[in-house]
Amino acid sequence: MDALQQHLFDSYRAARQGEPAPPAPGTHDVAVLRGLRDRRRFERVVAGRPATGRLRAALARAAALLGRR
């Protein structure tokens, strides 16, 4: 059973029991990804490492190298 079929099944069951319908699949995906990103940043800070991402750090190093020339 895929996510859409499960959602339809849950919506039908909720309607029969007079409960509110569940959220559609994918509704909270962005919030979950933000939460994961924030958790990783928090863990890096607690561990004493910089909270910047790898790409941002690599771009900063490249900019510093280009600025020296």
Side-chain angles (χ1 to χ4, degrees):
M1 181 179 305
D2 64 5
L4 180 59
Q5 291 170 338
Q6 183 67 45
H7 175 68
L8 292 173
F9 179 73
D10 291 341
S11 297
Y12 173 76
R13 185 178 38 140
R16 300 263 311 175
Q17 295 176 356
E19 298 173 356
T27 302
H28 303 290
D29 288 354
V30 173
V32 169
L33 292 175
R34 278 191 192 123
L36 288 171
R37 181 195 63 196
D38 293 345
R39 178 67 185 189
R40 287 181 53 103
R41 285 181 178 173
F42 172 76
E43 289 173 354
R44 290 183 65 83
V45 169
V46 169
R49 297 187 307 257
T52 59
R54 291 183 200 144
L55 178 61
R56 186 175 293 163
L59 289 174
R61 282 193 304 273
L65 287 173
L66 290 174
R68 285 189 221 168
R69 293 182 183 187

